Amino acid sequence: MAKNETEKLFQMTKPLTKKFKQRVDDEVFDYGYIFKECKTHTAYCTCCKKHFRLDGLKIDGIEVQPESSIKYMRHNEKTNCPYCNKPVTVKDSGRGRSRLVNYGYIAVFQNLKDDTLLLRTYALMRNYSGSYENVETKYSEHYRIYYKPTKPTQCYKRYNRYFDHYNYFYEPEEKQSFYKMSSFPKCLSFPTSYCCRWYSSPTLTNFMNLEEIKKNPNFKYFEMCDYINAGIYISELYIPDCVNMFCKNPIIYEKLQKEGFDNIIARILQYGYCGTNYRAKTVKDFFRVHTKEEMEIIKSSKYSLKIIEMLLKNGVALNEDSIIWAENNDYSLSKYKGDKKTLEYLIKKNYYLHDYQDYIGWLKKYEISLDKKALYPRYPQKAHDNMMLFNNRKEAERKNKENAELLKRFKKEFLPFLSRVFVYNDETYLIRPFKDIAEIITEGHIQNICVGGEDYTIPYMKGEKYLFCLRKKDDEKTPFVTVEVDTKGQLVQYRAKCNAAPAPEVYEFIKKWQQVYKKNLKSISL
């Protein structure tokens, strides 16, 4: 923007009125303090600016009983002013006031002469360290953002000249200068340069004069103000983005609002939605959908926009089944680079994407033909489990070859000892040591626990760890619970599938088993 155009915009900017500043004091600083002077038995309210005595307090000519007055309230105790009834904090006037500073942050909408909508933001400060009877709200302008539909939004930010944050609030307006920003600010909040040891967190932005947006003829179709006032979404962070989006795409924005997609606009601004087409002429094209059913799903706001976006990106039709499946496969789907047909197959079978990717990985690893029957098995879980067992067997064979001497020594020395001391069963369960590496690896894969890794298999073969498989007696081949014991016979851990805790009856069995194997260990040591 040319320099003279910038100056023109700045010249059209209107100063804040006294009436507006009073409204800020009433709405932003809607709390205050009552300072007590113990020596004179008087108090002063910063809200209604009234002096009164602590003893013999009278309201409307009626004397208030001493026990109900603020005379006996402690420093920092909260109450309501007896005159204006506003919430206040009671303060001893000579205690801690050197650090008593309140901050605020407001965003003010104004209409300029050429129907440009201006958003100005101010940091606010009320300093009580001096005379608490003459405290005024100090204003420090932060941003100026000029909006006009079909034209680029112009954003200006005030130069930071001082290290001490107080100087910003006392700098004369004629010395304040702004620089043009290259992009729209991500979030309007309390300026970080104003932070000090008494103030270190962002302040909530209070948006003032929202009605000014509707008064602007360029924004007569901007219905988001009513939506914001209804409190349906977090207005403090996204109002500027809403207005900016309207200026960039007024036609499609108007259509979205007229067809009832206000909530979706808010969610797009809040969470993002890369699948949208802002150049579209219809709402269907904007969301890149084809049917009324898909439009209704998006409009319902029941589902995550991220999930909907991922399905549409892969060409999958939106329906209850596809969305529920996508929610259960969120992480894997976000990284998926495949075809539409595979996703439709998995949705139909209601099968997990990451399990299917493991299955395909094993097929490729062992160079098995990727024909239609292999790619899309009738029973995917069964096909996955068969390939997992095949892979475990191959991995175990490889590791058995690599550790042939170790395995031979294990079967000769450690396995007989473990079988003699630790094998135990009752009417329901049995427990025994693992026979070889293959069995441990299979246990780890099926149970989805880490026992199949080399941190367990190699120490077990060396006799540095004792590992056991606990089974149901009527189903001895199916992994159920995995148990680890150290070489001194102390129980280290026991895990069911996915590291879950076993049922209480399983723990009772383990306690009985501990009594048995500890007796066996004691008899061997003797």
Side-chain angles (χ1 to χ4, degrees), residues 450-503:
C450 56
V451 75
E454 290 193 357
D455 290 343
Y456 288 90
T457 54
I458 302 303
Y460 177 65
M461 292 291 116
K462 291 180 179 179
E464 297 171 357
K465 285 183 179 181
Y466 299 161
L467 301 174
F468 305 93
C469 52
L470 192 157
R471 303 278 193 265
K472 290 180 179 179
K473 210 166 183 182
D474 57 357
D475 190 8
E476 295 184 18
K477 292 183 179 180
T478 304
F480 181 55
V481 174
T482 310
V483 184
E484 180 186 353
V485 175
D486 65 18
T487 54
K488 294 181 180 180
Q490 297 299 317
L491 184 66
V492 176
Q493 59 180 328
Y494 52 98
R495 295 285 184 267
K497 192 165 187 176
C498 298
N499 283 317

Side-chain angles (χ1 to χ4, degrees), residues 183-218:
S183 60
F184 194 84
K186 291 182 179 178
C187 178
L188 303 181
S189 62
F190 200 98
T192 53
S193 58
Y194 296 153
C195 291
C196 64
R197 64 191 177 96
W198 303 309
Y199 184 87
S200 58
S201 58
T203 302
L204 185 71
T205 304
N206 287 273
F207 280 85
M208 316 291 288
N209 286 10
L210 279 177
E211 60 274 8
E212 287 291 297
I213 303 177
K214 295 290 284 184
K215 289 178 182 177
N216 191 306
N218 291 324

